[in-house]
């Protein structure tokens, strides 16, 4: 059975707290494991979450501030130690090549990991595969930063009533899905005869940024949006000065972009808890709002 869920490894911003580790988010998407912005302590968070480091197939960095990347050396060395046999594709802003190289070789270790670097220079698709396509857009932060969007291709959903009408059951269902048509008696039945369109799922990941058009474009029609909510509205001036969002702004992005499930994270250490972040976002976004907690697991909503 395919798994599509977000495993939250850390939810702090610049400074970790007793209850919040630095950033780290693992998106399990069928056979892929996309690790976003691993900060310090991510390797240990994997252990606490009960997930092997070898589950990571793609490393996605938004930018090179320490709370978003200082866990890279430990994760790469752990994957090498564990003998991960698959290649690891690493995506990051090309302007930070020097920093990635330093992180990649931060200390002495027996390097057996096949890291395939994919520096990002422009907006647009950066990967295509069985999972769909992964694309990026540049955000508005104090340093070069990108957001990520994963889009599954649209498909078709089998309709039981139509299958029954055409006498299709058992192995014939799989044959119809694979070949696009199947013969039943003296009739040729096409896939479109027994199914209906099904929209592919969408996931968006938006970290450090001010309000900008790119944030809305990334979030458009997302089934699951993971987005920073570093500040509360009362500190909106600080948020803008340092290139961040407030919880209310995150909610507004979700509301205008037709998001289904909103996950707030990257909370400043100045706030004791995130209940007010939830309430501020919920004031402007009528869908489901989740304030992420370390080691929580958040499923991608089921297809509609």
């Amino acid at each position: 059975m395919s798994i599509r869920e977000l495993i939250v490894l850390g939810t702090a911003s610049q400074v970790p707290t007793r209850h919040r580790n630095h950033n780290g988010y693992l998106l399990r998407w069928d056979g892929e494991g996309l690790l976003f912005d691993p900060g310090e302590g991510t390797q240990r968070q994997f252990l606490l979450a009960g997930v092997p480091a070898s589950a990571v197939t793609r490393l996605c960095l938004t930018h090179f501030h320490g709370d978003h990347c200082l866990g890279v050396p430990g994760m790469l060395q752990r994957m090498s130690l564990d003998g991960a046999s698959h290649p690891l594709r690493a995506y990051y802003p090309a302007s930070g090549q020097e920093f990635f190289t330093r992180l990649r070789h931060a200390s002495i270790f027996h390097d057996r990991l096949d890291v395939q670097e994919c520096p990002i220079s422009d907006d647009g698709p950066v990967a295509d595969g069985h999972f769909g396509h992964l694309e990026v857009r540049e955000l508005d932060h104090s340093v070069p930063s990108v957001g990520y969007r994963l889009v599954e291709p649209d498909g078709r959903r089998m309709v039981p009533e139509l299958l029954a009408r055409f006498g299709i059951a058992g192995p014939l269902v799989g044959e119809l899905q694979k070949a696009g048509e199947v013969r039943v008696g003296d009739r040729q039945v096409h896939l479109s005869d027994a199914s209906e369109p099904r929209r592919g799922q969408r996931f968006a990941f938006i970290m450090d940024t001010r309000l900008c058009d790119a944030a809305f474009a990334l979030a458009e029609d997302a089934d699951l949006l993971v987005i920073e909510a570093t500040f509360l509205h009362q500190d909106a001036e600080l948020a803008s000065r340092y290139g961040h969002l407030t919880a209310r702004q995150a909610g507004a992005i979700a509301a205008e972009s037709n998001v289904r499930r909103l996950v707030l994270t990257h909370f400043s250490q100045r706030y004791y808890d995130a209940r007010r972040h939830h309430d501020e976002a919920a004031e402007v976004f009528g869908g489901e709002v989740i304030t992420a907690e370390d080691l929580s697991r958040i499923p991608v909503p089921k297809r509609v």
Side-chain angles (χ1 to χ4, degrees), residues 14-203:
Q14 188 176 30
V15 177
T17 70
R18 286 187 175 187
H19 306 290
R20 296 189 183 278
N21 197 69
H22 266 154
N23 285 288
Y25 312 87
L26 178 68
L27 177 66
R28 303 184 73 181
W29 188 276
D30 301 340
E32 296 281 344
L34 294 90
L35 176 59
F36 294 89
D37 282 9
E40 289 180 74
T42 297
Q43 182 182 172
R44 183 171 182 272
Q45 296 297 89
F46 263 80
L47 180 65
L48 294 176
V51 180
S54 58
V56 179
T57 59
R58 299 176 191 270
L59 172 64
C60 304
L61 303 182
T62 60
H63 64 293
F64 285 98
H65 277 151
D67 54 323
H68 296 261
C69 68
L70 286 178
V72 169
M75 285 303 301
L76 298 186
Q77 292 183 33
R78 181 57 183 268
M79 291 182 69
S80 185
L81 178 65
D82 290 351
S85 58
H86 57 268
L88 175 71
R89 293 173 175 85
Y91 308 92
Y92 54 86
S95 59
Q97 180 65 65
E98 174 187 3
F99 301 113
F100 187 82
T101 300
R102 292 177 184 174
L103 292 167
R104 175 81 177 88
H105 303 287
S107 66
I108 300 171
F109 71 105
H110 183 40
D111 189 359
R112 299 185 293 168
L113 186 62
D114 178 14
V115 178
Q116 300 180 1
E117 298 185 27
C118 307
I120 298 164
S121 300
D122 300 299
D123 288 355
V126 295
D128 288 284
H130 61 88
F131 56 87
H133 72 268
L134 183 66
E135 59 188 52
V136 301
R137 286 181 180 264
E138 184 176 359
L139 296 169
D140 181 13
H141 191 41
S142 56
V143 300
S145 183
V146 298
Y148 291 85
R149 175 178 169 86
L150 181 62
V151 180
E152 178 188 34
D154 293 338
R156 300 195 69 84
R157 177 187 293 109
M158 307 307 293
V159 180
E161 295 80 7
L162 295 177
L163 290 170
R165 179 188 303 175
F166 292 110
I168 300 173
L172 280 179
V173 177
E175 184 179 340
L176 176 60
Q177 291 175 313
K178 184 177 181 180
E181 59 183 16
V182 66
R183 192 159 194 83
V184 182
D186 60 354
R187 180 168 186 170
Q188 196 75 11
V189 181
H190 298 275
L191 180 61
S192 58
D193 296 330
S195 63
E196 60 186 10
R198 183 204 67 205
R199 195 200 72 167
Q201 289 186 306
R202 294 161 169 79
F203 167 85

Side-chain angles (χ1 to χ4, degrees), residues 270-293:
R270 71 183 58 235
Y271 307 111
Y272 179 73
D273 61 44
R275 283 177 292 184
R276 291 175 62 193
H277 291 75
H278 174 280
D279 294 343
E280 282 196 358
E283 287 175 5
V284 294
F285 175 60
E288 182 181 5
V289 180
I290 297 173
T291 49
E293 298 294 337

Side-chain angles (χ1 to χ4, degrees), residues 224-302:
L224 184 66
L225 168 63
V226 179
I227 188 168
E228 69 127 312
T230 310
F231 291 95
L232 291 172
H233 180 67
Q234 68 191 34
D235 297 312
E237 190 277 330
L238 276 178
S240 179
R241 184 192 313 171
Y242 293 111
H244 286 288
L245 296 172
T246 67
R248 184 174 297 179
Q249 289 170 334
I253 290 171
E256 293 187 34
S257 303
N258 193 34
V259 167
R260 293 180 62 199
R261 179 171 291 165
L262 171 63
V263 178
L264 305 177
T265 188
H266 196 270
F267 305 112
S268 170
Q269 73 275 12
R270 71 183 58 235
Y271 307 111
Y272 179 73
D273 61 44
R275 283 177 292 184
R276 291 175 62 193
H277 291 75
H278 174 280
D279 294 343
E280 282 196 358
E283 287 175 5
V284 294
F285 175 60
E288 182 181 5
V289 180
I290 297 173
T291 49
E293 298 294 337
D294 287 22
L295 305 179
S296 59
R297 291 174 181 249
I298 302 170
V300 177
K302 292 183 178 180

